[in-house]
Amino acid sequence: MASPLSNSTGLSLATMSPAVALALFDNCAALIIAGVPPGTEFGIDQHSFLVGEDFRGVKMIPEGVHFVYCAAKGAYGETAPRVGFVHHFTRGEIVVREWDHEKEELRHRVHDNVEEEMAKIRENLRNLDKYLAPYDYDRYTAWQKLTGNITQNTVSRHSPDCGVIRNTVELLSCPDEERPRGQVITSPRLSKIRALVNDEELLPNLKSIPGTAPKFTTLPLRCPKDASPADVSRHHM
């Protein structure tokens, strides 16, 4: 009989047998999370849901790259932007995170003895089974098509140094004395034209907070900036 791990892209939670589910539980990765408030939106890859009182994480996570994220709920039901992290899960790995109540996002577990706590979690993982949501294998095929060629090195190379991915980049504040003022326009006739041409001069030179931005690959120019129209056409052929 073939191992369920060898063909996990064809599995479905609705038709999964107890034997297959147990094999996935014992051999796949697990994400243990502490302290997430009920009603918080939690997601992994393409599946998200609102967590309940007993939520403690996700089990049966297949090996590979996965995106884990949360979105806090406000007092009036408003949802905050998603904040998460990308991790390359390995077979049998246990990843532990906890809720940061101040920042309202997941963070690395703060504990006096991390190794001892990890050993206890692994020893009692079966007892946590009922508190762990199963990974959604019904959407795994689509996720595998998106991320199947991403390696651990790729994740490490492009993830922010802080390890947290946000929907917007955190920017350093720009002091008022450093804000650009633009050119002084004395001619009313040229004011409208210059305002259109020089709009960028009025924008502050915003920079991301070090360590918070994804590390994108810099692509080389296909042709020199001062190339003639003929050279531009030649470089793009």
Side-chain angles (χ1 to χ4, degrees):
M1 179 179 177
S3 169
L5 300 179
S6 62
N7 189 30
S8 55
T9 54
L11 297 175
S12 172
L13 291 176
T15 59
M16 186 180 296
S17 68
V20 171
L22 181 60
L24 293 174
F25 181 88
D26 289 337
N27 293 280
C28 290
L31 172 65
I32 308 300
I33 301 176
V36 179
T40 300
E41 180 189 2
F42 172 86
I44 178 168
D45 300 340
Q46 296 178 304
H47 180 55
S48 64
F49 50 87
L50 301 182
V51 305
E53 291 279 355
D54 296 331
F55 176 75
R56 294 296 182 272
V58 181
K59 60 186 176 182
M60 300 158 50
I61 302 174
E63 186 175 12
V65 173
H66 298 282
F67 178 46
V68 179
Y69 51 91
C70 283
K73 288 284 187 179
Y76 299 99
E78 69 277 13
T79 303
R82 289 176 173 177
V83 181
F85 64 93
V86 175
H87 184 78
H88 188 282
F89 287 82
T90 58
R91 183 174 297 192
E93 181 183 13
I94 297 177
V95 176
V96 181
R97 293 290 190 273
E98 67 179 1
W99 185 254
D100 187 323
H101 290 276
E102 181 179 349
K103 295 183 177 180
E104 295 188 321
E105 61 187 41
L106 295 176
R107 68 183 181 191
H108 287 275
R109 176 73 166 161
V110 179
H111 196 272
D112 294 335
N113 194 326
V114 177
E115 293 183 0
E116 180 181 351
E117 184 187 43
M118 185 66 72
K120 289 182 178 180
I121 291 175
R122 187 173 294 279
E123 182 181 350
N124 294 280
L125 192 59
R126 287 284 184 94
N127 297 328
L128 292 173
D129 180 32
K130 62 181 179 180
Y131 303 109
L132 303 177
Y135 181 84
D136 186 8
Y137 278 89
D138 296 286
R139 293 180 172 89
Y140 180 54
T141 298
W143 180 255
Q144 183 69 5
K145 290 179 180 179
L146 291 173
T147 64
N149 294 322
I150 300 177
T151 65
Q152 172 63 57
N153 290 335
T154 304
V155 173
S156 301
R157 188 168 63 249
H158 294 290
S159 293
D161 291 334
C162 66
V164 178
I165 296 178
R166 307 178 188 278
N167 65 337
T168 57
V169 177
E170 296 179 88
L171 300 174
L172 294 169
S173 60
C174 181
D176 185 67
E177 59 271 13
E178 296 182 7
R179 294 182 182 274
R181 307 300 180 184
Q183 297 180 356
V184 178
I185 300 174
T186 57
S187 172
R189 187 167 60 87
L190 297 177
S191 61
K192 188 173 183 179
I193 298 177
R194 289 189 177 179
L196 292 174
V197 173
N198 300 322
D199 272 350
E200 292 187 359
E201 295 182 4
L202 300 176
L203 297 176
N205 183 21
L206 297 177
K207 298 179 180 179
S208 61
I209 297 176
T212 63
K215 304 170 187 174
F216 296 109
T217 300
T218 301
L219 299 177
L221 294 174
R222 298 190 65 175
C223 60
K225 291 184 178 181
D226 56 350
S228 65
D231 287 336
V232 172
S233 299
R234 181 170 56 83
H235 281 286
H236 286 78
M237 291 180 65

